[in-house]
Amino acid sequence: MHISNENKHKMDVQKLIDLHYGKNEPLRHVLLTHSEAVAQRCIRIIEQHPELQIDAQFVKEAAMLHDIGICFCNAPSIHCHGTHPYICHGHLGAELLREYGYDRHARVCERHTGAGLTKEEIIRQQLPLPADDFLPETLEEKLICYADKFYSKTHLGDEKTLEQAVHSLEKFGSEGVARFLEWHKIFN
């Protein structure tokens, strides 16, 4: 199914979510609550840093969709009852958005896990992902990845401190922590 082409029409984020998440599902609540918190943090940062010239409309859309792939994963604690390992949610969300013609948004999905993942990290940790580099490259990709680290889907409504965000990234390795701290210098 192809909803629209990102170059021709404004994206209908709600329609995309509605297609894959039921109206009153607990998982829908998790997705929307988490994604709205990430989007709001991104917008605050954009407003504080107009010199960065970040595409605010794109960031709002992509922040709302960065976790759209969680419905395909198995993480019962956050009401995900799919078949794939949770670490695959970004990759699966990217595949979904590409089917709809939203490659730019798909890149955010596949590059937000941890602080991005390198091919070497994927191979070394034997992650069930394609052996490729999935590092945020644009300021928009970096901003959403950065903001995402301050909110978990298991403790909705809670905002992590910088130290807690860094601690949650340590399981992905020191390279990700270093990337995150570089972004903090830009976005803080």
Side-chain angles (χ1 to χ4, degrees):
M1 175 189 285
H2 189 76
I3 292 179
S4 70
N5 183 302
E6 64 191 326
N7 297 320
K8 294 181 181 175
H9 305 287
K10 182 180 180 294
M11 170 182 267
D12 187 341
V13 170
Q14 199 58 55
K15 185 174 183 178
L16 279 169
I17 293 170
D18 290 348
L19 284 170
H20 299 279
Y21 293 80
K23 292 284 183 205
N24 297 309
E25 263 182 59
L27 180 54
R28 178 187 180 89
H29 174 72
V30 169
L31 175 72
L32 291 175
T33 302
H34 170 75
S35 299
E36 286 168 0
V38 172
Q40 288 170 6
R41 185 180 195 99
C42 287
I43 296 308
R44 285 194 309 270
I45 292 169
I46 290 169
E47 289 171 352
Q48 292 166 356
H49 293 283
E51 75 281 2
L52 296 176
Q53 299 182 333
I54 294 174
D55 182 343
Q57 182 62 41
F58 169 74
V59 167
K60 285 181 204 173
E61 294 167 357
M64 289 303 297
L65 295 171
H66 76 280
D67 277 334
I68 197 164
I70 63 174
C71 63
F72 302 115
C73 297
N74 183 26
S77 66
I78 57 168
H79 311 286
C80 296
H81 301 288
T83 57
H84 297 274
Y86 187 76
I87 194 145
C88 297
H89 76 279
H91 177 68
L92 295 169
E95 287 181 348
L96 178 70
L97 292 181
R98 284 196 174 96
E99 286 177 26
Y100 294 126
Y102 295 111
D103 187 63
R104 188 175 175 208
H105 298 76
R107 286 173 50 91
V108 171
C109 289
E110 69 190 2
R111 294 163 189 266
H112 84 275
T113 302
L117 293 167
T118 65
K119 179 179 181 177
E120 291 75 23
E121 290 169 319
I122 290 168
I123 293 168
R124 183 176 66 245
Q125 296 178 45
Q126 298 179 336
L127 300 176
L129 295 168
D132 204 349
D133 286 324
F134 295 106
L135 297 172
E137 294 175 351
T138 67
L139 274 176
E140 289 83 1
E141 291 168 2
K142 291 173 183 177
L143 174 59
I144 295 166
C145 186
Y146 170 78
D148 181 51
K149 300 306 152 293
F150 290 93
Y151 306 97
S152 88
K153 286 178 275 306
T154 53
H155 297 96
L156 293 174
D158 292 350
E159 185 172 324
K160 296 179 188 177
T161 64
L162 178 66
E163 294 74 24
Q164 290 168 326
V166 166
H167 180 70
S168 70
L169 280 172
E170 288 172 344
K171 67 180 172 252
F172 294 104
S174 59
E175 294 172 38
V177 171
R179 282 190 295 272
F180 177 78
L181 291 173
E182 282 301 310
W183 300 337
H184 184 68
K185 292 175 189 174
I186 298 168
F187 300 130
N188 189 31

